[in-house]
Amino acid sequence: MGTWRVLVAYASRLGSTREIAQAIAQVLTRRGAVVDVLAVDQVKCLQDYQAVILGSPIREAHWLPEAIDFVRTHREVLQQLPVVYFVVSGLMSNPTPEHFHEVYACLAEVRALAEPLEMGIFAGSLEYDRLERDQVVKVLSKGLPEGDFRRWQEVRAWAEDIADRLLLELARKQAAESAKPKPPA
C-alpha cells in the first residue's frame, strides 16, 4: 500500500495520554503512515484520514468529556473509517482481570457511538502533586499508587499490531472499492 494517513487524537489532563499517543504515532510513522497527533479539541475534520486512533484517560468511570464529544461530533465519519480506541487508567498499575473488565466497561458509551476495530488498555502515570486535593482523595480511596506505570514496550507492541490491522483493513477496503462495477463512460 502507498502512503496512508492516520490521525492519532487524544484527550489528556496531565500529559500521560498525550505521550502514549506520541509513542503510537512513532510506530505508525516507522511503518509508513503519515501521522498527525492532535488533541481532540484541535481536530476540525476527518476527511483527510484513512484511519483514526483515539485515546483518553478514564475519570469517574468515563473517558474525558472532550473525547466523548469528539466521538459524538464525528460519529458518522468514524463509523465509515477504521477506528481504534485506547484508554489510560491508573487501575492498570495492577492489571488484574477485574481491572481490565472495569476499564473495558468504561468504553461502553463510546463503543455504542462508533464501534472500534480494536482497543488498547494501558497503565498511566499518576503524580499526586499535580492533582487537585479532591482528586487526590478520590485516587487514594481507590488505592491507586503514585508513579509512572506506563509499559512502553507494551504500548509499542500494541501499536505494531494496530499498524498490521489497519493496513489489512485498508487493503480490504481498497480491494472492495476496486471490485465495484465502474459506471459506463
Side-chain angles (χ1 to χ4, degrees), residues 14-32:
L14 303 174
S16 183
T17 304
R18 176 183 42 81
E19 291 169 352
I20 290 173
Q22 291 168 333
I24 292 167
Q26 288 172 348
V27 170
L28 294 172
T29 300
R30 278 198 320 269
R31 296 292 301 273

Side-chain angles (χ1 to χ4, degrees), residues 85-141:
Y85 297 150
F86 71 93
V87 63
V88 179
S89 173
L91 288 175
M92 299 318 297
S93 62
N94 178 19
T96 66
E98 294 80 15
H99 288 163
F100 269 103
H101 180 72
E102 186 175 338
V103 171
Y104 185 80
C106 294
L107 293 167
E109 183 176 5
V110 292
R111 289 183 62 224
L113 294 168
E115 185 66 31
L117 181 66
E118 185 67 58
M119 293 184 294
I121 298 175
F122 305 113
S125 177
L126 182 59
E127 299 172 44
Y128 295 156
D129 62 347
R130 295 183 70 191
L131 300 174
E132 300 292 328
R133 184 182 308 211
D134 64 323
Q135 293 173 314
V136 173
V137 171
K138 286 179 185 177
V139 297
L140 287 174
S141 71

